[in-house]
Amino acid sequence: MSPRAACRLDTLGFEHVYDYMPGKVDWLARGLSREGEKATEPRAVDFADRDVVTCHLGDRIGSIRARVEASPYGFAFVTTDGGILLGRLRKAAVDADPDVTAEAVLEPGPSTVRADTSPARLRERLERSGLKTAVISDPDGRLLGIVRRADLPTDE
Amino acid sequence: MVQQVTYPRLRALLDGDAQLVEVLPEAEYAEEHLPGAINIPLKTLDAASAAQLDKTKAVVVYCWDGL
């Protein structure tokens, strides 16, 4: 729809027309602010803890362990400099040889959910799967945070 | 000339003085839209409805997912 609208504006003489093709779905999946009647409805990202332990591929496990032990989660995430999520370091990996790199022991491609996922629906999914946490990322794969099942409401 | 943009470029345009237009139907706009966007549904987009836009400034249009 937006390509046709952009083309129409072009034919009407507008010289600087841009089409944000990823659209509203992309914006909402980033957990960005919005306006309108549904703008106050909570989303999964509203329950996210953004203060999670992250490291880079080349970091030594020994340099990460203390931060993980001080966090409430017992795991860490491996990201790029730009925050793109590459993998997870579970407790067993963090307790392993302190001289190995994160790259050597990471669990690649952890599952993530969109920022605008319904909190009640996410809670149901986590309960069905027996999981206590969900990882939230944006459409570019950038880590946004962790949501704990216990923090999510049961009803919408 | 129409340019397709993704989020980083959109951000830059909005940080400037770009005008943001949702072209979905009014009901969908009323439910949820990007901050500052105005609504000109595609079915109503013509010279008259576009007259509320400033032709000298950038205009960014969007719908649900570009389709």
Side-chain angles (χ1 to χ4, degrees):
Chain A
M1 188 177 283
S2 62
R4 287 181 284 156
C7 183
R8 183 67 179 113
L9 287 173
D10 188 48
T11 65
L12 288 169
F14 285 82
E15 295 182 1
H16 308 288
V17 182
Y18 300 86
D19 179 7
Y20 175 40
M21 276 197 69
K24 188 152 63 172
V25 66
D26 177 76
W27 181 276
L28 297 176
R30 293 175 186 279
L32 299 171
S33 63
R34 72 269 204 227
E35 297 175 345
E37 296 160 357
K38 292 174 67 176
T40 56
E41 291 184 6
R43 307 160 295 176
V45 72
D46 297 323
F47 298 88
D49 182 358
R50 296 172 186 263
D51 186 19
V52 294
V53 179
T54 61
C55 63
H56 295 136
L57 287 170
D59 290 348
R60 302 283 172 189
I61 292 299
S63 71
I64 304 162
R65 186 176 297 157
R67 288 190 291 139
V68 172
E69 288 174 349
S71 90
Y73 301 111
F75 53 79
F77 294 106
V78 184
T79 67
T80 65
D81 288 343
I84 305 298
L85 178 61
L86 299 174
R88 172 169 29 204
L89 295 174
R90 291 191 181 275
K91 182 78 166 61
V94 174
D95 289 339
D97 182 350
D99 292 326
V100 301
T101 63
E103 184 172 19
V105 291
L106 69 79
E107 172 190 307
S111 298
T112 63
V113 298
R114 289 169 28 155
D116 59 334
T117 302
S118 150
R121 191 166 303 158
L122 178 57
R123 185 184 177 103
E124 289 172 10
R125 283 171 54 184
L126 291 173
E127 285 175 347
R128 270 202 314 273
S129 306
L131 299 172
K132 293 180 179 175
T133 59
V135 184
I136 299 183
S137 66
D138 74 12
D140 296 324
R142 191 167 289 106
L143 176 65
L144 295 180
I146 293 177
V147 174
R148 289 189 292 203
R149 186 177 76 192
D151 294 336
L152 294 168
T154 53
D155 298 311
E156 293 200 90
Chain B
M1 179 71 176
V2 175
Q3 291 183 45
Q4 295 177 358
V5 296
T6 55
Y7 177 71
R9 182 77 172 117
L10 171 67
R11 183 78 271 162
L13 286 163
L14 296 179
D15 288 343
D17 59 357
Q19 305 162 95
L20 188 58
V21 181
E22 177 167 319
V23 298
L24 289 165
E26 185 178 347
E28 293 182 50
Y29 171 84
E31 275 192 356
E32 216 166 23
H33 55 266
L34 277 58
I38 65 166
N39 185 213
I40 306 179
L42 178 62
K43 289 183 182 297
T44 70
L45 180 55
D46 56 18
S49 60
Q52 62 189 296
L53 299 169
D54 184 341
K55 281 190 175 181
T56 68
K57 294 181 179 178
V59 182
V60 183
V61 296
Y62 72 91
C63 58
W64 180 244
D65 57 7
L67 297 177

mmCIF file of all heavy atoms in Angstrom, chain B residues 17-61:
data_model
loop_
_atom_site.group_PDB
_atom_site.id
_atom_site.type_symbol
_atom_site.label_atom_id
_atom_site.label_comp_id
_atom_site.label_asym_id
_atom_site.label_seq_id
_atom_site.Cartn_x
_atom_site.Cartn_y
_atom_site.Cartn_z
ATOM 1 N N ASP B 17 12.948 17.409 9.668
ATOM 2 C CA ASP B 17 11.585 17.950 9.707
ATOM 3 C C ASP B 17 10.659 17.208 8.751
ATOM 4 O O ASP B 17 9.730 17.791 8.185
ATOM 5 C CB ASP B 17 11.584 19.457 9.409
ATOM 6 C CG ASP B 17 12.174 19.768 8.043
ATOM 7 O OD1 ASP B 17 12.640 18.830 7.359
ATOM 8 O OD2 ASP B 17 12.158 20.952 7.648
ATOM 9 N N ALA B 18 10.918 15.904 8.584
ATOM 10 C CA ALA B 18 10.086 15.114 7.668
ATOM 11 C C ALA B 18 8.645 15.021 8.186
ATOM 12 O O ALA B 18 8.401 14.988 9.389
ATOM 13 C CB ALA B 18 10.674 13.722 7.502
ATOM 14 N N GLN B 19 7.750 14.945 7.238
ATOM 15 C CA GLN B 19 6.329 14.756 7.554
ATOM 16 C C GLN B 19 6.027 13.264 7.427
ATOM 17 O O GLN B 19 6.438 12.618 6.461
ATOM 18 C CB GLN B 19 5.473 15.542 6.562
ATOM 19 C CG GLN B 19 5.835 17.014 6.503
ATOM 20 C CD GLN B 19 5.313 17.679 5.238
ATOM 21 O OE1 GLN B 19 4.245 18.277 5.239
ATOM 22 N NE2 GLN B 19 6.057 17.574 4.150
ATOM 23 N N LEU B 20 5.326 12.730 8.411
ATOM 24 C CA LEU B 20 5.074 11.294 8.461
ATOM 25 C C LEU B 20 3.591 11.037 8.187
ATOM 26 O O LEU B 20 2.724 11.623 8.843
ATOM 27 C CB LEU B 20 5.469 10.763 9.838
ATOM 28 C CG LEU B 20 5.487 9.276 10.086
ATOM 29 C CD1 LEU B 20 6.420 8.556 9.112
ATOM 30 C CD2 LEU B 20 5.934 9.002 11.528
ATOM 31 N N VAL B 21 3.323 10.152 7.230
ATOM 32 C CA VAL B 21 1.941 9.917 6.811
ATOM 33 C C VAL B 21 1.622 8.426 6.835
ATOM 34 O O VAL B 21 2.253 7.629 6.136
ATOM 35 C CB VAL B 21 1.689 10.454 5.383
ATOM 36 C CG1 VAL B 21 0.233 10.217 4.979
ATOM 37 C CG2 VAL B 21 2.041 11.926 5.286
ATOM 38 N N GLU B 22 0.619 8.045 7.642
ATOM 39 C CA GLU B 22 0.127 6.667 7.604
ATOM 40 C C GLU B 22 -0.980 6.614 6.563
ATOM 41 O O GLU B 22 -1.921 7.413 6.604
ATOM 42 C CB GLU B 22 -0.400 6.226 8.969
ATOM 43 C CG GLU B 22 -0.978 4.820 8.918
ATOM 44 C CD GLU B 22 -1.221 4.211 10.295
ATOM 45 O OE1 GLU B 22 -0.375 4.380 11.203
ATOM 46 O OE2 GLU B 22 -2.271 3.558 10.465
ATOM 47 N N VAL B 23 -0.873 5.651 5.637
ATOM 48 C CA VAL B 23 -1.853 5.576 4.537
ATOM 49 C C VAL B 23 -2.851 4.435 4.728
ATOM 50 O O VAL B 23 -3.592 4.097 3.805
ATOM 51 C CB VAL B 23 -1.143 5.479 3.171
ATOM 52 C CG1 VAL B 23 -0.305 6.730 2.925
ATOM 53 C CG2 VAL B 23 -0.282 4.235 3.066
ATOM 54 N N LEU B 24 -2.870 3.851 5.897
ATOM 55 C CA LEU B 24 -3.847 2.811 6.213
ATOM 56 C C LEU B 24 -5.211 3.454 6.464
ATOM 57 O O LEU B 24 -5.295 4.668 6.694
ATOM 58 C CB LEU B 24 -3.397 2.033 7.453
ATOM 59 C CG LEU B 24 -2.182 1.122 7.258
ATOM 60 C CD1 LEU B 24 -1.603 0.691 8.595
ATOM 61 C CD2 LEU B 24 -2.572 -0.094 6.425
ATOM 62 N N PRO B 25 -6.276 2.651 6.465
ATOM 63 C CA PRO B 25 -7.600 3.200 6.762
ATOM 64 C C PRO B 25 -7.659 3.863 8.139
ATOM 65 O O PRO B 25 -6.879 3.530 9.042
ATOM 66 C CB PRO B 25 -8.506 1.966 6.702
ATOM 67 C CG PRO B 25 -7.796 1.027 5.786
ATOM 68 C CD PRO B 25 -6.336 1.234 6.073
ATOM 69 N N GLU B 26 -8.607 4.749 8.287
ATOM 70 C CA GLU B 26 -8.723 5.566 9.492
ATOM 71 C C GLU B 26 -8.802 4.742 10.775
ATOM 72 O O GLU B 26 -8.205 5.094 11.797
ATOM 73 C CB GLU B 26 -9.968 6.465 9.368
ATOM 74 C CG GLU B 26 -10.141 7.452 10.494
ATOM 75 C CD GLU B 26 -11.372 8.346 10.295
ATOM 76 O OE1 GLU B 26 -11.918 8.352 9.171
ATOM 77 O OE2 GLU B 26 -11.768 9.007 11.263
ATOM 78 N N ALA B 27 -9.547 3.622 10.737
ATOM 79 C CA ALA B 27 -9.725 2.816 11.949
ATOM 80 C C ALA B 27 -8.390 2.233 12.430
ATOM 81 O O ALA B 27 -8.131 2.170 13.631
ATOM 82 C CB ALA B 27 -10.721 1.689 11.681
ATOM 83 N N GLU B 28 -7.568 1.829 11.492
ATOM 84 C CA GLU B 28 -6.269 1.267 11.878
ATOM 85 C C GLU B 28 -5.345 2.347 12.426
ATOM 86 O O GLU B 28 -4.586 2.115 13.353
ATOM 87 C CB GLU B 28 -5.623 0.562 10.681
ATOM 88 C CG GLU B 28 -6.377 -0.681 10.251
ATOM 89 C CD GLU B 28 -5.696 -1.388 9.097
ATOM 90 O OE1 GLU B 28 -4.480 -1.647 9.175
ATOM 91 O OE2 GLU B 28 -6.388 -1.660 8.098
ATOM 92 N N TYR B 29 -5.433 3.522 11.833
ATOM 93 C CA TYR B 29 -4.660 4.658 12.331
ATOM 94 C C TYR B 29 -5.113 5.012 13.751
ATOM 95 O O TYR B 29 -4.282 5.258 14.635
ATOM 96 C CB TYR B 29 -4.853 5.861 11.405
ATOM 97 C CG TYR B 29 -4.277 7.150 11.941
ATOM 98 C CD1 TYR B 29 -2.920 7.460 11.771
ATOM 99 C CD2 TYR B 29 -5.086 8.062 12.617
ATOM 100 C CE1 TYR B 29 -2.394 8.645 12.262
ATOM 101 C CE2 TYR B 29 -4.563 9.252 13.107
ATOM 102 C CZ TYR B 29 -3.221 9.542 12.925
ATOM 103 O OH TYR B 29 -2.707 10.715 13.424
ATOM 104 N N ALA B 30 -6.414 5.005 13.977
ATOM 105 C CA ALA B 30 -6.940 5.377 15.292
ATOM 106 C C ALA B 30 -6.460 4.410 16.374
ATOM 107 O O ALA B 30 -6.183 4.815 17.503
ATOM 108 C CB ALA B 30 -8.465 5.411 15.251
ATOM 109 N N GLU B 31 -6.355 3.160 16.016
ATOM 110 C CA GLU B 31 -5.906 2.163 16.999
ATOM 111 C C GLU B 31 -4.475 2.410 17.439
ATOM 112 O O GLU B 31 -4.153 2.403 18.626
ATOM 113 C CB GLU B 31 -5.984 0.754 16.387
ATOM 114 C CG GLU B 31 -7.329 0.102 16.502
ATOM 115 C CD GLU B 31 -7.272 -1.369 16.149
ATOM 116 O OE1 GLU B 31 -6.201 -1.851 15.746
ATOM 117 O OE2 GLU B 31 -8.310 -2.032 16.272
ATOM 118 N N GLU B 32 -3.607 2.602 16.460
ATOM 119 C CA GLU B 32 -2.188 2.683 16.769
ATOM 120 C C GLU B 32 -1.444 3.283 15.581
ATOM 121 O O GLU B 32 -1.638 2.829 14.454
ATOM 122 C CB GLU B 32 -1.649 1.256 17.014
ATOM 123 C CG GLU B 32 -0.605 1.124 18.056
ATOM 124 C CD GLU B 32 -0.416 -0.344 18.443
ATOM 125 O OE1 GLU B 32 -0.746 -1.252 17.660
ATOM 126 O OE2 GLU B 32 0.079 -0.568 19.532
ATOM 127 N N HIS B 33 -0.621 4.279 15.843
ATOM 128 C CA HIS B 33 0.181 4.845 14.764
ATOM 129 C C HIS B 33 1.480 5.398 15.315
ATOM 130 O O HIS B 33 1.646 5.548 16.533
ATOM 131 C CB HIS B 33 -0.605 5.931 14.015
ATOM 132 C CG HIS B 33 -1.128 7.021 14.895
ATOM 133 N ND1 HIS B 33 -2.407 7.007 15.422
ATOM 134 C CD2 HIS B 33 -0.564 8.159 15.369
ATOM 135 C CE1 HIS B 33 -2.598 8.082 16.163
ATOM 136 N NE2 HIS B 33 -1.483 8.795 16.156
ATOM 137 N N LEU B 34 2.389 5.696 14.426
ATOM 138 C CA LEU B 34 3.681 6.226 14.838
ATOM 139 C C LEU B 34 3.498 7.647 15.379
ATOM 140 O O LEU B 34 2.664 8.405 14.862
ATOM 141 C CB LEU B 34 4.659 6.239 13.657
ATOM 142 C CG LEU B 34 5.397 4.938 13.360
ATOM 143 C CD1 LEU B 34 4.460 3.777 13.090
ATOM 144 C CD2 LEU B 34 6.357 5.131 12.186
ATOM 145 N N PRO B 35 4.268 8.007 16.385
ATOM 146 C CA PRO B 35 4.121 9.345 16.978
ATOM 147 C C PRO B 35 4.273 10.451 15.936
ATOM 148 O O PRO B 35 5.226 10.456 15.159
ATOM 149 C CB PRO B 35 5.256 9.401 18.002
ATOM 150 C CG PRO B 35 5.513 7.981 18.368
ATOM 151 C CD PRO B 35 5.296 7.210 17.093
ATOM 152 N N GLY B 36 3.323 11.339 15.931
ATOM 153 C CA GLY B 36 3.392 12.489 15.037
ATOM 154 C C GLY B 36 2.862 12.248 13.643
ATOM 155 O O GLY B 36 2.801 13.195 12.832
ATOM 156 N N ALA B 37 2.481 11.013 13.338
ATOM 157 C CA ALA B 37 1.990 10.721 11.988
ATOM 158 C C ALA B 37 0.594 11.310 11.796
ATOM 159 O O ALA B 37 -0.206 11.340 12.725
ATOM 160 C CB ALA B 37 1.950 9.219 11.756
ATOM 161 N N ILE B 38 0.338 11.752 10.576
ATOM 162 C CA ILE B 38 -1.028 12.107 10.220
ATOM 163 C C ILE B 38 -1.574 10.985 9.349
ATOM 164 O O ILE B 38 -0.817 10.127 8.886
ATOM 165 C CB ILE B 38 -1.115 13.458 9.470
ATOM 166 C CG1 ILE B 38 -0.407 13.382 8.115
ATOM 167 C CG2 ILE B 38 -0.546 14.576 10.318
ATOM 168 C CD1 ILE B 38 -0.739 14.546 7.205
ATOM 169 N N ASN B 39 -2.877 10.970 9.163
ATOM 170 C CA ASN B 39 -3.516 9.889 8.416
ATOM 171 C C ASN B 39 -4.117 10.413 7.108
ATOM 172 O O ASN B 39 -4.982 11.294 7.116
ATOM 173 C CB ASN B 39 -4.614 9.260 9.290
ATOM 174 C CG ASN B 39 -5.278 8.050 8.659
ATOM 175 O OD1 ASN B 39 -6.455 7.800 8.855
ATOM 176 N ND2 ASN B 39 -4.522 7.252 7.925
ATOM 177 N N ILE B 40 -3.598 9.883 6.015
ATOM 178 C CA ILE B 40 -4.244 10.099 4.715
ATOM 179 C C ILE B 40 -4.384 8.718 4.089
ATOM 180 O O ILE B 40 -3.441 8.198 3.493
ATOM 181 C CB ILE B 40 -3.414 11.018 3.785
ATOM 182 C CG1 ILE B 40 -3.065 12.344 4.465
ATOM 183 C CG2 ILE B 40 -4.192 11.277 2.494
ATOM 184 C CD1 ILE B 40 -2.227 13.286 3.598
ATOM 185 N N PRO B 41 -5.547 8.087 4.276
ATOM 186 C CA PRO B 41 -5.731 6.741 3.705
ATOM 187 C C PRO B 41 -5.480 6.741 2.203
ATOM 188 O O PRO B 41 -5.831 7.715 1.513
ATOM 189 C CB PRO B 41 -7.196 6.419 4.037
ATOM 190 C CG PRO B 41 -7.496 7.260 5.243
ATOM 191 C CD PRO B 41 -6.723 8.529 5.023
ATOM 192 N N LEU B 42 -4.892 5.668 1.718
ATOM 193 C CA LEU B 42 -4.572 5.580 0.290
ATOM 194 C C LEU B 42 -5.782 5.883 -0.572
ATOM 195 O O LEU B 42 -5.677 6.553 -1.599
ATOM 196 C CB LEU B 42 -4.015 4.185 -0.030
ATOM 197 C CG LEU B 42 -3.680 3.930 -1.504
ATOM 198 C CD1 LEU B 42 -2.588 4.882 -1.985
ATOM 199 C CD2 LEU B 42 -3.259 2.482 -1.707
ATOM 200 N N LYS B 43 -6.942 5.379 -0.146
ATOM 201 C CA LYS B 43 -8.148 5.567 -0.955
ATOM 202 C C LYS B 43 -8.592 7.025 -1.032
ATOM 203 O O LYS B 43 -9.455 7.379 -1.839
ATOM 204 C CB LYS B 43 -9.297 4.709 -0.401
ATOM 205 C CG LYS B 43 -9.109 3.214 -0.643
ATOM 206 C CD LYS B 43 -10.302 2.424 -0.142
ATOM 207 C CE LYS B 43 -10.100 0.925 -0.346
ATOM 208 N NZ LYS B 43 -9.998 0.574 -1.769
ATOM 209 N N THR B 44 -8.050 7.857 -0.155
ATOM 210 C CA THR B 44 -8.431 9.284 -0.185
ATOM 211 C C THR B 44 -7.281 10.171 -0.634
ATOM 212 O O THR B 44 -7.405 11.399 -0.603
ATOM 213 C CB THR B 44 -8.895 9.749 1.215
ATOM 214 O OG1 THR B 44 -7.764 9.785 2.094
ATOM 215 C CG2 THR B 44 -9.969 8.840 1.771
ATOM 216 N N LEU B 45 -6.187 9.553 -1.030
ATOM 217 C CA LEU B 45 -5.001 10.338 -1.372
ATOM 218 C C LEU B 45 -5.145 10.962 -2.761
ATOM 219 O O LEU B 45 -5.125 10.274 -3.780
ATOM 220 C CB LEU B 45 -3.754 9.439 -1.318
ATOM 221 C CG LEU B 45 -2.415 10.118 -1.642
ATOM 222 C CD1 LEU B 45 -2.172 11.326 -0.749
ATOM 223 C CD2 LEU B 45 -1.271 9.115 -1.489
ATOM 224 N N ASP B 46 -5.290 12.275 -2.775
ATOM 225 C CA ASP B 46 -5.368 13.009 -4.040
ATOM 226 C C ASP B 46 -4.808 14.415 -3.794
ATOM 227 O O ASP B 46 -4.294 14.709 -2.704
ATOM 228 C CB ASP B 46 -6.804 13.063 -4.564
ATOM 229 C CG ASP B 46 -7.787 13.654 -3.567
ATOM 230 O OD1 ASP B 46 -7.328 14.340 -2.621
ATOM 231 O OD2 ASP B 46 -8.997 13.434 -3.706
ATOM 232 N N ALA B 47 -4.918 15.254 -4.782
ATOM 233 C CA ALA B 47 -4.351 16.597 -4.652
ATOM 234 C C ALA B 47 -4.959 17.351 -3.468
ATOM 235 O O ALA B 47 -4.259 18.082 -2.758
ATOM 236 C CB ALA B 47 -4.571 17.377 -5.950
ATOM 237 N N ALA B 48 -6.245 17.135 -3.249
ATOM 238 C CA ALA B 48 -6.908 17.867 -2.173
ATOM 239 C C ALA B 48 -6.424 17.409 -0.799
ATOM 240 O O ALA B 48 -6.079 18.229 0.059
ATOM 241 C CB ALA B 48 -8.423 17.675 -2.283
ATOM 242 N N SER B 49 -6.380 16.096 -0.577
ATOM 243 C CA SER B 49 -5.956 15.608 0.741
ATOM 244 C C SER B 49 -4.452 15.840 0.959
ATOM 245 O O SER B 49 -4.014 16.063 2.091
ATOM 246 C CB SER B 49 -6.297 14.125 0.907
ATOM 247 O OG SER B 49 -5.645 13.343 -0.071
ATOM 248 N N ALA B 50 -3.686 15.810 -0.120
ATOM 249 C CA ALA B 50 -2.244 16.019 0.009
ATOM 250 C C ALA B 50 -1.895 17.486 0.221
ATOM 251 O O ALA B 50 -0.757 17.806 0.550
ATOM 252 C CB ALA B 50 -1.530 15.487 -1.232
ATOM 253 N N ALA B 51 -2.890 18.361 0.051
ATOM 254 C CA ALA B 51 -2.625 19.793 0.190
ATOM 255 C C ALA B 51 -2.238 20.177 1.621
ATOM 256 O O ALA B 51 -1.649 21.230 1.844
ATOM 257 C CB ALA B 51 -3.857 20.588 -0.255
ATOM 258 N N GLN B 52 -2.557 19.285 2.568
ATOM 259 C CA GLN B 52 -2.181 19.577 3.960
ATOM 260 C C GLN B 52 -0.694 19.349 4.201
ATOM 261 O O GLN B 52 -0.177 19.669 5.275
ATOM 262 C CB GLN B 52 -2.998 18.707 4.918
ATOM 263 C CG GLN B 52 -2.782 17.218 4.747
ATOM 264 C CD GLN B 52 -3.766 16.396 5.565
ATOM 265 O OE1 GLN B 52 -3.774 16.428 6.787
ATOM 266 N NE2 GLN B 52 -4.616 15.672 4.875
ATOM 267 N N LEU B 53 -0.014 18.763 3.212
ATOM 268 C CA LEU B 53 1.421 18.510 3.341
ATOM 269 C C LEU B 53 2.224 19.630 2.690
ATOM 270 O O LEU B 53 1.779 20.242 1.725
ATOM 271 C CB LEU B 53 1.772 17.170 2.680
ATOM 272 C CG LEU B 53 1.097 15.938 3.267
ATOM 273 C CD1 LEU B 53 1.333 14.724 2.352
ATOM 274 C CD2 LEU B 53 1.607 15.653 4.669
ATOM 275 N N ASP B 54 3.407 19.845 3.233
ATOM 276 C CA ASP B 54 4.312 20.862 2.704
ATOM 277 C C ASP B 54 5.188 20.219 1.625
ATOM 278 O O ASP B 54 5.997 19.336 1.921
ATOM 279 C CB ASP B 54 5.170 21.410 3.850
ATOM 280 C CG ASP B 54 6.076 22.547 3.417
ATOM 281 O OD1 ASP B 54 6.331 22.697 2.202
ATOM 282 O OD2 ASP B 54 6.544 23.284 4.304
ATOM 283 N N LYS B 55 5.031 20.671 0.386
ATOM 284 C CA LYS B 55 5.776 20.067 -0.723
ATOM 285 C C LYS B 55 7.276 20.335 -0.655
ATOM 286 O O LYS B 55 8.052 19.666 -1.325
ATOM 287 C CB LYS B 55 5.236 20.584 -2.062
ATOM 288 C CG LYS B 55 3.962 19.912 -2.510
ATOM 289 C CD LYS B 55 3.615 20.292 -3.940
ATOM 290 C CE LYS B 55 2.392 19.509 -4.420
ATOM 291 N NZ LYS B 55 2.033 19.815 -5.803
ATOM 292 N N THR B 56 7.665 21.310 0.136
ATOM 293 C CA THR B 56 9.096 21.643 0.208
ATOM 294 C C THR B 56 9.830 20.761 1.213
ATOM 295 O O THR B 56 11.054 20.790 1.280
ATOM 296 C CB THR B 56 9.308 23.113 0.605
ATOM 297 O OG1 THR B 56 8.877 23.306 1.963
ATOM 298 C CG2 THR B 56 8.531 24.033 -0.322
ATOM 299 N N LYS B 57 9.081 20.000 1.998
ATOM 300 C CA LYS B 57 9.710 19.156 3.014
ATOM 301 C C LYS B 57 9.575 17.680 2.648
ATOM 302 O O LYS B 57 8.699 17.294 1.877
ATOM 303 C CB LYS B 57 9.053 19.397 4.382
ATOM 304 C CG LYS B 57 9.274 20.788 4.946
ATOM 305 C CD LYS B 57 8.610 20.918 6.306
ATOM 306 C CE LYS B 57 8.849 22.301 6.900
ATOM 307 N NZ LYS B 57 8.159 22.458 8.209
ATOM 308 N N ALA B 58 10.428 16.877 3.243
ATOM 309 C CA ALA B 58 10.373 15.436 3.003
ATOM 310 C C ALA B 58 9.060 14.862 3.533
ATOM 311 O O ALA B 58 8.553 15.299 4.571
ATOM 312 C CB ALA B 58 11.546 14.760 3.693
ATOM 313 N N VAL B 59 8.539 13.890 2.791
ATOM 314 C CA VAL B 59 7.333 13.186 3.219
ATOM 315 C C VAL B 59 7.673 11.690 3.304
ATOM 316 O O VAL B 59 8.191 11.123 2.344
ATOM 317 C CB VAL B 59 6.167 13.372 2.228
ATOM 318 C CG1 VAL B 59 4.928 12.648 2.743
ATOM 319 C CG2 VAL B 59 5.874 14.855 2.017
ATOM 320 N N VAL B 60 7.366 11.097 4.450
ATOM 321 C CA VAL B 60 7.572 9.656 4.615
ATOM 322 C C VAL B 60 6.213 9.000 4.758
ATOM 323 O O VAL B 60 5.432 9.384 5.636
ATOM 324 C CB VAL B 60 8.415 9.323 5.867
ATOM 325 C CG1 VAL B 60 8.670 7.822 5.954
ATOM 326 C CG2 VAL B 60 9.730 10.094 5.867
ATOM 327 N N VAL B 61 5.939 8.035 3.895
ATOM 328 C CA VAL B 61 4.679 7.296 3.998
ATOM 329 C C VAL B 61 4.964 5.890 4.520
ATOM 330 O O VAL B 61 6.046 5.345 4.328
ATOM 331 C CB VAL B 61 3.946 7.219 2.649
ATOM 332 C CG1 VAL B 61 3.537 8.590 2.167
ATOM 333 C CG2 VAL B 61 4.798 6.511 1.604
#
